[in-house]
Amino acid sequence: MHQHQLHQQKRCMSAVAALTPEQRSTNLDTLLLSAKQDNAMGMGWELLKDRDAITKTFHFIDFNQAWEFMGKVAVLAEEMNHHPEWFNVYNRVEVTLTTHDCNGLSTNDMDMATKMDEFESQLLSRQR
């Protein structure tokens, strides 16, 4: 079997379920609440109004730091087989997380958002 076929087979076998109402009230609410508490300027994770997804804009010192963040996330995305939607201009990286296989948010999105926040903290703590 070719590498691409193995990847496709792995993807189909690892269907992810949408967040349950209980997971939304714990995991998602915790992520959104901590974002508000950590950043009074409202630059944490937010729910999108038009679809079941979360979004955040990350701000770094410069392009190199933004690129390093994206590199760390790219490695994680490949490991998780879960890829963010993102847009980068200079020191800014806009991210949207959702799980297309379940047409909404899943635990994969919560895990990735938490890890992205950790990467951001690690990178920004180096500038202090």
Side-chain angles (χ1 to χ4, degrees):
M1 199 176 281
H2 294 292
Q3 185 72 15
H4 177 72
Q5 291 170 317
L6 285 171
H7 179 73
Q8 288 297 88
Q9 183 181 22
K10 180 180 172 188
R11 184 173 187 265
C12 293
M13 292 181 352
S14 64
V16 178
L19 289 179
T20 64
E22 182 179 294
Q23 289 170 320
R24 282 183 175 278
S25 67
T26 55
N27 301 12
L28 181 59
D29 287 354
T30 300
L31 183 70
L32 298 174
L33 181 62
S34 68
K36 286 181 184 177
Q37 290 172 344
D38 289 344
N39 194 340
M41 297 188 322
M43 294 169 63
W45 291 100
E46 298 177 356
L47 275 172
L48 287 179
K49 292 177 183 15
D50 59 343
R51 63 193 260 223
D52 194 24
I54 55 175
T55 187
K56 180 176 178 176
T57 300
F58 295 88
H59 295 273
F60 298 97
I61 297 171
D62 55 20
F63 180 75
N64 286 333
Q65 195 175 55
W67 191 261
E68 185 176 351
F69 170 80
M70 291 172 65
K72 288 176 176 281
V73 174
V75 170
L76 175 66
E78 285 297 301
E79 289 171 359
M80 292 179 67
N81 192 29
H82 186 63
H83 302 85
E85 300 170 17
W86 57 14
F87 178 76
N88 166 244
V89 175
Y90 187 61
N91 68 333
R92 189 179 80 235
V93 181
E94 299 171 12
V95 177
T96 299
L97 296 175
T98 192
T99 302
H100 300 283
D101 289 346
C102 69
N103 295 318
L105 291 168
S106 72
T107 55
N108 281 353
D109 300 303
M110 301 301 98
D111 294 344
M112 183 166 277
T114 300
K115 202 67 176 157
M116 287 176 150
D117 286 343
E118 289 174 20
F119 293 155
E120 176 191 36
S121 292
Q122 291 167 359
L123 289 168
L124 293 177
S125 68
R126 292 193 323 211
Q127 79 186 35
R128 294 179 184 134

